[in-house]
PDB file of all heavy atoms in Angstrom:
ATOM      1  N   ASN A   1     176.992  84.747 162.751  1.00  0.00           N
ATOM      2  CA  ASN A   1     177.525  84.069 161.551  1.00  0.00           C
ATOM      3  C   ASN A   1     176.326  83.194 161.114  1.00  0.00           C
ATOM      4  O   ASN A   1     175.940  82.954 159.917  1.00  0.00           O
ATOM      5  CB  ASN A   1     178.709  83.327 161.757  1.00  0.00           C
ATOM      6  CG  ASN A   1     179.956  84.198 161.782  1.00  0.00           C
ATOM      7  OD1 ASN A   1     180.035  85.175 161.129  1.00  0.00           O
ATOM      8  ND2 ASN A   1     180.900  83.767 162.468  1.00  0.00           N
ATOM      9  N   MET A   2     175.693  82.376 162.051  1.00  0.00           N
ATOM     10  CA  MET A   2     174.624  81.473 161.762  1.00  0.00           C
ATOM     11  C   MET A   2     173.422  82.216 161.255  1.00  0.00           C
ATOM     12  O   MET A   2     172.786  81.706 160.217  1.00  0.00           O
ATOM     13  CB  MET A   2     174.193  80.719 162.964  1.00  0.00           C
ATOM     14  CG  MET A   2     173.143  79.647 162.813  1.00  0.00           C
ATOM     15  SD  MET A   2     173.643  78.393 161.645  1.00  0.00           S
ATOM     16  CE  MET A   2     174.979  77.551 162.527  1.00  0.00           C
ATOM     17  N   LEU A   3     173.058  83.297 161.754  1.00  0.00           N
ATOM     18  CA  LEU A   3     171.940  84.093 161.237  1.00  0.00           C
ATOM     19  C   LEU A   3     172.101  84.595 159.842  1.00  0.00           C
ATOM     20  O   LEU A   3     171.129  84.550 159.020  1.00  0.00           O
ATOM     21  CB  LEU A   3     171.612  85.262 162.200  1.00  0.00           C
ATOM     22  CG  LEU A   3     170.383  86.146 161.907  1.00  0.00           C
ATOM     23  CD1 LEU A   3     169.115  85.101 161.899  1.00  0.00           C
ATOM     24  CD2 LEU A   3     170.194  87.274 162.872  1.00  0.00           C
ATOM     25  N   GLU A   4     173.336  85.076 159.490  1.00  0.00           N
ATOM     26  CA  GLU A   4     173.456  85.443 158.190  1.00  0.00           C
ATOM     27  C   GLU A   4     173.459  84.369 157.120  1.00  0.00           C
ATOM     28  O   GLU A   4     172.888  84.462 156.040  1.00  0.00           O
ATOM     29  CB  GLU A   4     174.957  86.141 158.095  1.00  0.00           C
ATOM     30  CG  GLU A   4     175.032  87.479 158.819  1.00  0.00           C
ATOM     31  CD  GLU A   4     176.423  88.169 158.476  1.00  0.00           C
ATOM     32  OE1 GLU A   4     177.165  87.560 157.758  1.00  0.00           O
ATOM     33  OE2 GLU A   4     176.706  89.126 159.197  1.00  0.00           O
ATOM     34  N   LYS A   5     173.939  83.119 157.600  1.00  0.00           N
ATOM     35  CA  LYS A   5     173.845  81.962 156.714  1.00  0.00           C
ATOM     36  C   LYS A   5     172.359  81.532 156.544  1.00  0.00           C
ATOM     37  O   LYS A   5     171.863  81.171 155.495  1.00  0.00           O
ATOM     38  CB  LYS A   5     174.741  80.873 157.303  1.00  0.00           C
ATOM     39  CG  LYS A   5     176.146  81.063 157.202  1.00  0.00           C
ATOM     40  CD  LYS A   5     176.978  79.977 157.915  1.00  0.00           C
ATOM     41  CE  LYS A   5     178.468  80.265 157.842  1.00  0.00           C
ATOM     42  NZ  LYS A   5     179.215  79.192 158.483  1.00  0.00           N
ATOM     43  N   LEU A   6     171.554  81.486 157.658  1.00  0.00           N
ATOM     44  CA  LEU A   6     170.129  81.161 157.574  1.00  0.00           C
ATOM     45  C   LEU A   6     169.281  82.187 156.822  1.00  0.00           C
ATOM     46  O   LEU A   6     168.312  81.783 156.143  1.00  0.00           O
ATOM     47  CB  LEU A   6     169.556  80.989 159.026  1.00  0.00           C
ATOM     48  CG  LEU A   6     170.164  79.862 159.813  1.00  0.00           C
ATOM     49  CD1 LEU A   6     169.531  79.904 161.266  1.00  0.00           C
ATOM     50  CD2 LEU A   6     169.855  78.570 159.124  1.00  0.00           C
ATOM     51  N   THR A   7     169.655  83.412 156.841  1.00  0.00           N
ATOM     52  CA  THR A   7     168.922  84.525 156.144  1.00  0.00           C
ATOM     53  C   THR A   7     169.034  84.247 154.659  1.00  0.00           C
ATOM     54  O   THR A   7     167.972  84.473 153.961  1.00  0.00           O
ATOM     55  CB  THR A   7     169.542  85.811 156.524  1.00  0.00           C
ATOM     56  OG1 THR A   7     169.361  86.026 157.989  1.00  0.00           O
ATOM     57  CG2 THR A   7     168.641  86.868 155.882  1.00  0.00           C
ATOM     58  N   ARG A   8     169.994  83.621 154.198  1.00  0.00           N
ATOM     59  CA  ARG A   8     170.256  83.319 152.766  1.00  0.00           C
ATOM     60  C   ARG A   8     169.114  82.352 152.196  1.00  0.00           C
ATOM     61  O   ARG A   8     168.834  82.297 150.971  1.00  0.00           O
ATOM     62  CB  ARG A   8     171.598  82.930 152.440  1.00  0.00           C
ATOM     63  CG  ARG A   8     172.619  83.923 152.685  1.00  0.00           C
ATOM     64  CD  ARG A   8     174.061  83.388 152.386  1.00  0.00           C
ATOM     65  NE  ARG A   8     175.112  84.315 152.781  1.00  0.00           N
ATOM     66  CZ  ARG A   8     175.622  85.271 151.986  1.00  0.00           C
ATOM     67  NH1 ARG A   8     175.106  85.401 150.785  1.00  0.00           N
ATOM     68  NH2 ARG A   8     176.594  86.020 152.440  1.00  0.00           N
ATOM     69  N   VAL A   9     168.636  81.495 153.098  1.00  0.00           N
ATOM     70  CA  VAL A   9     167.645  80.438 152.756  1.00  0.00           C
ATOM     71  C   VAL A   9     166.332  80.609 153.393  1.00  0.00           C
ATOM     72  O   VAL A   9     165.556  79.743 153.487  1.00  0.00           O
ATOM     73  CB  VAL A   9     168.320  79.056 153.211  1.00  0.00           C
ATOM     74  CG1 VAL A   9     169.537  78.656 152.395  1.00  0.00           C
ATOM     75  CG2 VAL A   9     168.506  79.060 154.663  1.00  0.00           C
ATOM     76  N   LEU A  10     166.006  81.986 153.662  1.00  0.00           N
ATOM     77  CA  LEU A  10     164.862  82.304 154.289  1.00  0.00           C
ATOM     78  C   LEU A  10     163.730  82.015 153.269  1.00  0.00           C
ATOM     79  O   LEU A  10     163.714  82.388 152.137  1.00  0.00           O
ATOM     80  CB  LEU A  10     164.742  83.772 154.672  1.00  0.00           C
ATOM     81  CG  LEU A  10     163.716  84.205 155.588  1.00  0.00           C
ATOM     82  CD1 LEU A  10     163.893  83.672 156.956  1.00  0.00           C
ATOM     83  CD2 LEU A  10     163.785  85.794 155.628  1.00  0.00           C
ATOM     84  N   LYS A  11     162.565  81.208 153.708  1.00  0.00           N
ATOM     85  CA  LYS A  11     161.531  80.906 152.767  1.00  0.00           C
ATOM     86  C   LYS A  11     160.151  80.974 153.462  1.00  0.00           C
ATOM     87  O   LYS A  11     160.060  80.835 154.726  1.00  0.00           O
ATOM     88  CB  LYS A  11     161.750  79.558 152.106  1.00  0.00           C
ATOM     89  CG  LYS A  11     162.005  78.423 153.035  1.00  0.00           C
ATOM     90  CD  LYS A  11     162.384  77.134 152.329  1.00  0.00           C
ATOM     91  CE  LYS A  11     162.686  76.068 153.310  1.00  0.00           C
ATOM     92  NZ  LYS A  11     163.119  74.803 152.676  1.00  0.00           N
ATOM     93  N   LEU A  12     159.119  80.971 152.630  1.00  0.00           N
ATOM     94  CA  LEU A  12     157.722  81.027 153.175  1.00  0.00           C
ATOM     95  C   LEU A  12     157.353  79.802 153.845  1.00  0.00           C
ATOM     96  O   LEU A  12     157.539  78.679 153.332  1.00  0.00           O
ATOM     97  CB  LEU A  12     156.816  81.333 152.118  1.00  0.00           C
ATOM     98  CG  LEU A  12     155.340  81.500 152.396  1.00  0.00           C
ATOM     99  CD1 LEU A  12     155.072  82.696 153.387  1.00  0.00           C
ATOM    100  CD2 LEU A  12     154.497  81.586 151.202  1.00  0.00           C
ATOM    101  N   LYS A  13     156.759  79.947 155.069  1.00  0.00           N
ATOM    102  CA  LYS A  13     156.467  78.765 155.869  1.00  0.00           C
ATOM    103  C   LYS A  13     154.883  78.708 156.033  1.00  0.00           C
ATOM    104  O   LYS A  13     154.218  77.740 156.087  1.00  0.00           O
ATOM    105  CB  LYS A  13     157.079  78.728 157.154  1.00  0.00           C
ATOM    106  CG  LYS A  13     156.856  77.546 157.963  1.00  0.00           C
ATOM    107  CD  LYS A  13     157.520  77.550 159.357  1.00  0.00           C
ATOM    108  CE  LYS A  13     157.256  76.327 160.247  1.00  0.00           C
ATOM    109  NZ  LYS A  13     158.022  76.334 161.529  1.00  0.00           N
ATOM    110  N   GLN A  14     154.328  79.868 156.280  1.00  0.00           N
ATOM    111  CA  GLN A  14     152.900  79.982 156.779  1.00  0.00           C
ATOM    112  C   GLN A  14     152.144  81.212 156.210  1.00  0.00           C
ATOM    113  O   GLN A  14     152.833  82.243 156.005  1.00  0.00           O
ATOM    114  CB  GLN A  14     152.802  79.807 158.218  1.00  0.00           C
ATOM    115  CG  GLN A  14     151.439  79.482 158.736  1.00  0.00           C
ATOM    116  CD  GLN A  14     151.422  79.306 160.302  1.00  0.00           C
ATOM    117  OE1 GLN A  14     152.626  79.543 160.949  1.00  0.00           O
ATOM    118  NE2 GLN A  14     150.245  79.190 160.930  1.00  0.00           N
ATOM    119  N   LYS A  15     150.897  81.253 156.023  1.00  0.00           N
ATOM    120  CA  LYS A  15     150.089  82.304 155.752  1.00  0.00           C
ATOM    121  C   LYS A  15     148.886  82.494 156.711  1.00  0.00           C
ATOM    122  O   LYS A  15     148.216  81.566 156.944  1.00  0.00           O
ATOM    123  CB  LYS A  15     149.592  82.161 154.218  1.00  0.00           C
ATOM    124  CG  LYS A  15     148.708  83.344 153.844  1.00  0.00           C
ATOM    125  CD  LYS A  15     148.214  83.178 152.461  1.00  0.00           C
ATOM    126  CE  LYS A  15     147.375  84.389 152.034  1.00  0.00           C
ATOM    127  NZ  LYS A  15     146.807  84.080 150.618  1.00  0.00           N
ATOM    128  N   LEU A  16     148.838  83.707 157.167  1.00  0.00           N
ATOM    129  CA  LEU A  16     147.739  83.911 158.266  1.00  0.00           C
ATOM    130  C   LEU A  16     146.808  85.033 157.684  1.00  0.00           C
ATOM    131  O   LEU A  16     147.282  86.173 157.300  1.00  0.00           O
ATOM    132  CB  LEU A  16     148.423  84.470 159.503  1.00  0.00           C
ATOM    133  CG  LEU A  16     149.463  83.556 160.253  1.00  0.00           C
ATOM    134  CD1 LEU A  16     150.017  84.214 161.365  1.00  0.00           C
ATOM    135  CD2 LEU A  16     148.745  82.260 160.621  1.00  0.00           C
ATOM    136  N   THR A  17     145.617  84.783 157.591  1.00  0.00           N
ATOM    137  CA  THR A  17     144.549  85.757 157.097  1.00  0.00           C
ATOM    138  C   THR A  17     143.965  86.432 158.239  1.00  0.00           C
ATOM    139  O   THR A  17     143.672  86.050 159.296  1.00  0.00           O
ATOM    140  CB  THR A  17     143.441  84.899 156.439  1.00  0.00           C
ATOM    141  OG1 THR A  17     143.854  84.039 155.353  1.00  0.00           O
ATOM    142  CG2 THR A  17     142.466  85.911 155.780  1.00  0.00           C
ATOM    143  N   LEU A  18     143.849  87.952 157.994  1.00  0.00           N
ATOM    144  CA  LEU A  18     143.387  88.860 158.950  1.00  0.00           C
ATOM    145  C   LEU A  18     141.940  89.142 158.685  1.00  0.00           C
ATOM    146  O   LEU A  18     141.493  89.236 157.458  1.00  0.00           O
ATOM    147  CB  LEU A  18     144.200  90.068 158.928  1.00  0.00           C
ATOM    148  CG  LEU A  18     145.705  89.828 159.329  1.00  0.00           C
ATOM    149  CD1 LEU A  18     146.618  90.966 159.167  1.00  0.00           C
ATOM    150  CD2 LEU A  18     145.988  89.084 160.649  1.00  0.00           C
ATOM    151  N   ASP A  19     141.247  89.705 159.685  1.00  0.00           N
ATOM    152  CA  ASP A  19     139.835  90.171 159.488  1.00  0.00           C
ATOM    153  C   ASP A  19     139.611  91.295 160.564  1.00  0.00           C
ATOM    154  O   ASP A  19     139.273  91.022 161.751  1.00  0.00           O
ATOM    155  CB  ASP A  19     138.813  89.120 159.693  1.00  0.00           C
ATOM    156  CG  ASP A  19     137.461  89.513 159.508  1.00  0.00           C
ATOM    157  OD1 ASP A  19     137.247  90.592 158.875  1.00  0.00           O
ATOM    158  OD2 ASP A  19     136.463  88.745 159.629  1.00  0.00           O
ATOM    159  N   PRO A  20     139.770  92.528 160.161  1.00  0.00           N
ATOM    160  CA  PRO A  20     139.542  93.642 161.147  1.00  0.00           C
ATOM    161  C   PRO A  20     138.169  93.921 161.538  1.00  0.00           C
ATOM    162  O   PRO A  20     137.799  94.549 162.459  1.00  0.00           O
ATOM    163  CB  PRO A  20     140.150  94.936 160.405  1.00  0.00           C
ATOM    164  CG  PRO A  20     140.026  94.573 159.033  1.00  0.00           C
ATOM    165  CD  PRO A  20     140.302  93.099 158.843  1.00  0.00           C
ATOM    166  N   SER A  21     137.069  93.334 160.695  1.00  0.00           N
ATOM    167  CA  SER A  21     135.720  93.588 160.963  1.00  0.00           C
ATOM    168  C   SER A  21     135.050  92.496 161.672  1.00  0.00           C
ATOM    169  O   SER A  21     133.796  92.106 161.575  1.00  0.00           O
ATOM    170  CB  SER A  21     134.973  94.002 159.688  1.00  0.00           C
ATOM    171  OG  SER A  21     135.079  92.825 158.810  1.00  0.00           O
ATOM    172  N   SER A  22     135.873  91.610 162.334  1.00  0.00           N
ATOM    173  CA  SER A  22     135.290  90.316 162.926  1.00  0.00           C
ATOM    174  C   SER A  22     134.410  90.720 164.148  1.00  0.00           C
ATOM    175  O   SER A  22     133.360  90.050 164.320  1.00  0.00           O
ATOM    176  CB  SER A  22     136.426  89.469 163.377  1.00  0.00           C
ATOM    177  OG  SER A  22     137.256  90.129 164.296  1.00  0.00           O
ATOM    178  N   ASN A  23     134.795  91.775 164.931  1.00  0.00           N
ATOM    179  CA  ASN A  23     133.932  92.067 166.088  1.00  0.00           C
ATOM    180  C   ASN A  23     133.154  93.461 165.949  1.00  0.00           C
ATOM    181  O   ASN A  23     132.269  93.730 166.534  1.00  0.00           O
ATOM    182  CB  ASN A  23     134.868  92.239 167.352  1.00  0.00           C
ATOM    183  CG  ASN A  23     135.509  90.916 167.625  1.00  0.00           C
ATOM    184  OD1 ASN A  23     134.925  89.830 167.499  1.00  0.00           O
ATOM    185  ND2 ASN A  23     136.671  90.933 168.170  1.00  0.00           N
ATOM    186  N   ASP A  24     133.762  94.223 165.041  1.00  0.00           N
ATOM    187  CA  ASP A  24     133.141  95.578 164.773  1.00  0.00           C
ATOM    188  C   ASP A  24     132.793  95.717 163.263  1.00  0.00           C
ATOM    189  O   ASP A  24     133.541  95.174 162.312  1.00  0.00           O
ATOM    190  CB  ASP A  24     134.016  96.665 165.214  1.00  0.00           C
ATOM    191  CG  ASP A  24     134.275  96.577 166.708  1.00  0.00           C
ATOM    192  OD1 ASP A  24     133.563  96.982 167.661  1.00  0.00           O
ATOM    193  OD2 ASP A  24     135.321  96.000 167.082  1.00  0.00           O
ATOM    194  N   PHE A  25     131.841  96.533 162.936  1.00  0.00           N
ATOM    195  CA  PHE A  25     131.577  96.878 161.605  1.00  0.00           C
ATOM    196  C   PHE A  25     132.130  98.144 161.146  1.00  0.00           C
ATOM    197  O   PHE A  25     131.974  99.222 161.801  1.00  0.00           O
ATOM    198  CB  PHE A  25     130.068  96.833 161.434  1.00  0.00           C
ATOM    199  CG  PHE A  25     129.668  97.194 159.957  1.00  0.00           C
ATOM    200  CD1 PHE A  25     129.642  96.284 158.924  1.00  0.00           C
ATOM    201  CD2 PHE A  25     129.236  98.435 159.664  1.00  0.00           C
ATOM    202  CE1 PHE A  25     129.324  96.622 157.737  1.00  0.00           C
ATOM    203  CE2 PHE A  25     128.852  98.822 158.382  1.00  0.00           C
ATOM    204  CZ  PHE A  25     128.923  98.038 157.396  1.00  0.00           C
ATOM    205  N   PHE A  26     132.936  98.021 160.076  1.00  0.00           N
ATOM    206  CA  PHE A  26     133.585  99.179 159.538  1.00  0.00           C
ATOM    207  C   PHE A  26     133.046  99.432 158.025  1.00  0.00           C
ATOM    208  O   PHE A  26     133.015  98.414 157.324  1.00  0.00           O
ATOM    209  CB  PHE A  26     135.100  99.213 159.600  1.00  0.00           C
ATOM    210  CG  PHE A  26     135.656  99.130 160.947  1.00  0.00           C
ATOM    211  CD1 PHE A  26     136.314  97.961 161.486  1.00  0.00           C
ATOM    212  CD2 PHE A  26     135.401 100.099 161.890  1.00  0.00           C
ATOM    213  CE1 PHE A  26     136.749  97.899 162.693  1.00  0.00           C
ATOM    214  CE2 PHE A  26     135.873 100.084 163.240  1.00  0.00           C
ATOM    215  CZ  PHE A  26     136.551  98.928 163.610  1.00  0.00           C
ATOM    216  N   GLU A  27     132.997 100.642 157.588  1.00  0.00           N
ATOM    217  CA  GLU A  27     132.571 100.870 156.242  1.00  0.00           C
ATOM    218  C   GLU A  27     133.902 100.707 155.340  1.00  0.00           C
ATOM    219  O   GLU A  27     134.736 101.682 155.364  1.00  0.00           O
ATOM    220  CB  GLU A  27     132.060 102.231 156.070  1.00  0.00           C
ATOM    221  CG  GLU A  27     130.746 102.482 156.845  1.00  0.00           C
ATOM    222  CD  GLU A  27     130.075 103.768 156.468  1.00  0.00           C
ATOM    223  OE1 GLU A  27     130.722 104.561 155.805  1.00  0.00           O
ATOM    224  OE2 GLU A  27     129.088 104.068 157.129  1.00  0.00           O
ATOM    225  N   MET A  28     134.008  99.683 154.700  1.00  0.00           N
ATOM    226  CA  MET A  28     135.258  99.474 153.827  1.00  0.00           C
ATOM    227  C   MET A  28     134.960  98.328 152.923  1.00  0.00           C
ATOM    228  O   MET A  28     134.249  97.422 153.149  1.00  0.00           O
ATOM    229  CB  MET A  28     136.508  99.147 154.684  1.00  0.00           C
ATOM    230  CG  MET A  28     136.345  97.884 155.484  1.00  0.00           C
ATOM    231  SD  MET A  28     137.836  97.455 156.380  1.00  0.00           S
ATOM    232  CE  MET A  28     137.476  95.996 157.099  1.00  0.00           C
ATOM    233  N   ASP A  29     135.647  98.490 151.821  1.00  0.00           N
ATOM    234  CA  ASP A  29     135.516  97.408 150.701  1.00  0.00           C
ATOM    235  C   ASP A  29     136.792  96.536 150.751  1.00  0.00           C
ATOM    236  O   ASP A  29     136.725  95.296 150.540  1.00  0.00           O
ATOM    237  CB  ASP A  29     135.321  98.055 149.382  1.00  0.00           C
ATOM    238  CG  ASP A  29     133.982  98.813 149.151  1.00  0.00           C
ATOM    239  OD1 ASP A  29     133.011  98.322 149.996  1.00  0.00           O
ATOM    240  OD2 ASP A  29     133.913  99.739 148.434  1.00  0.00           O
ATOM    241  N   ARG A  30     137.894  97.208 150.922  1.00  0.00           N
ATOM    242  CA  ARG A  30     139.099  96.474 150.952  1.00  0.00           C
ATOM    243  C   ARG A  30     140.049  97.033 152.030  1.00  0.00           C
ATOM    244  O   ARG A  30     139.861  98.173 152.359  1.00  0.00           O
ATOM    245  CB  ARG A  30     139.808  96.515 149.546  1.00  0.00           C
ATOM    246  CG  ARG A  30     139.067  95.750 148.500  1.00  0.00           C
ATOM    247  CD  ARG A  30     139.969  95.873 147.115  1.00  0.00           C
ATOM    248  NE  ARG A  30     140.202  97.267 146.701  1.00  0.00           N
ATOM    249  CZ  ARG A  30     141.245  97.667 146.028  1.00  0.00           C
ATOM    250  NH1 ARG A  30     142.137  96.889 145.631  1.00  0.00           N
ATOM    251  NH2 ARG A  30     141.303  99.037 145.739  1.00  0.00           N
ATOM    252  N   PHE A  31     140.991  96.189 152.382  1.00  0.00           N
ATOM    253  CA  PHE A  31     141.944  96.675 153.397  1.00  0.00           C
ATOM    254  C   PHE A  31     143.324  95.986 153.127  1.00  0.00           C
ATOM    255  O   PHE A  31     143.408  95.012 152.432  1.00  0.00           O
ATOM    256  CB  PHE A  31     141.519  96.401 154.874  1.00  0.00           C
ATOM    257  CG  PHE A  31     141.445  95.031 155.152  1.00  0.00           C
ATOM    258  CD1 PHE A  31     142.552  94.305 155.806  1.00  0.00           C
ATOM    259  CD2 PHE A  31     140.260  94.228 154.912  1.00  0.00           C
ATOM    260  CE1 PHE A  31     142.524  92.956 156.062  1.00  0.00           C
ATOM    261  CE2 PHE A  31     140.165  92.924 155.226  1.00  0.00           C
ATOM    262  CZ  PHE A  31     141.319  92.277 155.851  1.00  0.00           C
ATOM    263  N   SER A  32     144.317  96.610 153.563  1.00  0.00           N
ATOM    264  CA  SER A  32     145.761  96.123 153.447  1.00  0.00           C
ATOM    265  C   SER A  32     146.589  96.434 154.642  1.00  0.00           C
ATOM    266  O   SER A  32     146.582  97.516 155.092  1.00  0.00           O
ATOM    267  CB  SER A  32     146.313  96.652 152.095  1.00  0.00           C
ATOM    268  OG  SER A  32     147.634  96.197 151.832  1.00  0.00           O
ATOM    269  N   VAL A  33     147.433  95.576 155.010  1.00  0.00           N
ATOM    270  CA  VAL A  33     148.374  95.629 156.174  1.00  0.00           C
ATOM    271  C   VAL A  33     149.404  96.642 155.721  1.00  0.00           C
ATOM    272  O   VAL A  33     150.080  96.407 154.768  1.00  0.00           O
ATOM    273  CB  VAL A  33     148.848  94.383 156.574  1.00  0.00           C
ATOM    274  CG1 VAL A  33     149.696  94.568 157.877  1.00  0.00           C
ATOM    275  CG2 VAL A  33     147.693  93.368 156.918  1.00  0.00           C
ATOM    276  N   SER A  34     149.629  97.688 156.529  1.00  0.00           N
ATOM    277  CA  SER A  34     150.673  98.543 156.323  1.00  0.00           C
ATOM    278  C   SER A  34     151.740  98.712 157.451  1.00  0.00           C
ATOM    279  O   SER A  34     152.806  99.234 157.281  1.00  0.00           O
ATOM    280  CB  SER A  34     150.141  99.938 156.078  1.00  0.00           C
ATOM    281  OG  SER A  34     149.415 100.381 157.216  1.00  0.00           O
ATOM    282  N   ARG A  35     151.389  98.009 158.541  1.00  0.00           N
ATOM    283  CA  ARG A  35     152.409  98.070 159.667  1.00  0.00           C
ATOM    284  C   ARG A  35     152.103  97.006 160.657  1.00  0.00           C
ATOM    285  O   ARG A  35     150.974  96.583 160.898  1.00  0.00           O
ATOM    286  CB  ARG A  35     152.350  99.440 160.395  1.00  0.00           C
ATOM    287  CG  ARG A  35     153.525  99.664 161.390  1.00  0.00           C
ATOM    288  CD  ARG A  35     153.745 101.090 161.576  1.00  0.00           C
ATOM    289  NE  ARG A  35     154.952 101.315 162.456  1.00  0.00           N
ATOM    290  CZ  ARG A  35     155.436 102.381 162.591  1.00  0.00           C
ATOM    291  NH1 ARG A  35     154.935 103.568 162.077  1.00  0.00           N
ATOM    292  NH2 ARG A  35     156.528 102.693 163.354  1.00  0.00           N
ATOM    293  N   ILE A  36     153.199  96.357 161.213  1.00  0.00           N
ATOM    294  CA  ILE A  36     153.166  95.343 162.262  1.00  0.00           C
ATOM    295  C   ILE A  36     154.066  95.784 163.448  1.00  0.00           C
ATOM    296  O   ILE A  36     155.258  96.045 163.205  1.00  0.00           O
ATOM    297  CB  ILE A  36     153.566  93.952 161.676  1.00  0.00           C
ATOM    298  CG1 ILE A  36     152.678  93.584 160.527  1.00  0.00           C
ATOM    299  CG2 ILE A  36     153.600  92.890 162.801  1.00  0.00           C
ATOM    300  CD1 ILE A  36     153.104  92.211 159.797  1.00  0.00           C
ATOM    301  N   GLU A  37     153.488  95.687 164.638  1.00  0.00           N
ATOM    302  CA  GLU A  37     154.263  96.146 165.823  1.00  0.00           C
ATOM    303  C   GLU A  37     154.079  95.134 166.920  1.00  0.00           C
ATOM    304  O   GLU A  37     152.890  94.912 167.325  1.00  0.00           O
ATOM    305  CB  GLU A  37     153.953  97.469 166.359  1.00  0.00           C
ATOM    306  CG  GLU A  37     154.473  98.616 165.311  1.00  0.00           C
ATOM    307  CD  GLU A  37     155.934  98.703 165.350  1.00  0.00           C
ATOM    308  OE1 GLU A  37     156.624  98.248 166.217  1.00  0.00           O
ATOM    309  OE2 GLU A  37     156.454  99.248 164.302  1.00  0.00           O
ATOM    310  N   PRO A  38     155.025  94.266 167.405  1.00  0.00           N
ATOM    311  CA  PRO A  38     154.823  93.337 168.418  1.00  0.00           C
ATOM    312  C   PRO A  38     154.989  93.989 169.931  1.00  0.00           C
ATOM    313  O   PRO A  38     155.612  94.996 170.070  1.00  0.00           O
ATOM    314  CB  PRO A  38     155.894  92.313 168.284  1.00  0.00           C
ATOM    315  CG  PRO A  38     157.084  93.087 167.682  1.00  0.00           C
ATOM    316  CD  PRO A  38     156.368  94.263 166.927  1.00  0.00           C
ATOM    317  N   ASP A  39     154.457  93.255 170.927  1.00  0.00           N
ATOM    318  CA  ASP A  39     154.653  93.759 172.336  1.00  0.00           C
ATOM    319  C   ASP A  39     155.971  93.195 172.829  1.00  0.00           C
ATOM    320  O   ASP A  39     156.812  92.655 172.135  1.00  0.00           O
ATOM    321  CB  ASP A  39     153.535  93.281 173.150  1.00  0.00           C
ATOM    322  CG  ASP A  39     153.466  91.786 173.369  1.00  0.00           C
ATOM    323  OD1 ASP A  39     154.282  91.067 172.591  1.00  0.00           O
ATOM    324  OD2 ASP A  39     152.759  91.267 174.200  1.00  0.00           O
ATOM    325  N   ALA A  40     156.270  93.461 174.002  1.00  0.00           N
ATOM    326  CA  ALA A  40     157.596  93.285 174.712  1.00  0.00           C
ATOM    327  C   ALA A  40     157.828  91.772 174.713  1.00  0.00           C
ATOM    328  O   ALA A  40     159.036  91.271 174.518  1.00  0.00           O
ATOM    329  CB  ALA A  40     157.748  93.864 176.026  1.00  0.00           C
ATOM    330  N   CYS A  41     156.880  90.884 174.820  1.00  0.00           N
ATOM    331  CA  CYS A  41     157.048  89.500 174.938  1.00  0.00           C
ATOM    332  C   CYS A  41     156.804  88.775 173.583  1.00  0.00           C
ATOM    333  O   CYS A  41     156.990  87.583 173.432  1.00  0.00           O
ATOM    334  CB  CYS A  41     156.067  88.926 175.910  1.00  0.00           C
ATOM    335  SG  CYS A  41     156.314  89.542 177.634  1.00  0.00           S
TER     336      CYS A  41
END
């Protein structure tokens, strides 16, 4: 019940910027996130 009530007021809290070429060089002009998968923890 609490989760359903909190979901109604879900709002943006933070923005995290990604950089896939920080350690390796890839030929690309633009990129966009298409999937997110977490580990068990």
Side-chain angles (χ1 to χ4, degrees):
N1 287 329
M2 182 61 67
L3 183 58
E4 290 187 5
K5 293 178 181 179
L6 292 175
T7 303
R8 298 178 185 272
V9 295
L10 198 66
K11 55 186 177 181
L12 180 63
K13 182 178 180 181
Q14 192 179 359
K15 180 181 178 180
L16 305 172
T17 304
L18 303 176
D19 186 9
S21 61
S22 58
N23 298 328
D24 301 277
F25 176 76
F26 298 117
E27 295 181 0
M28 62 178 180
D29 295 336
R30 291 183 301 158
F31 67 92
S32 179
V33 183
S34 61
R35 191 153 185 174
I36 300 173
E37 291 290 338
D39 67 348
C41 301

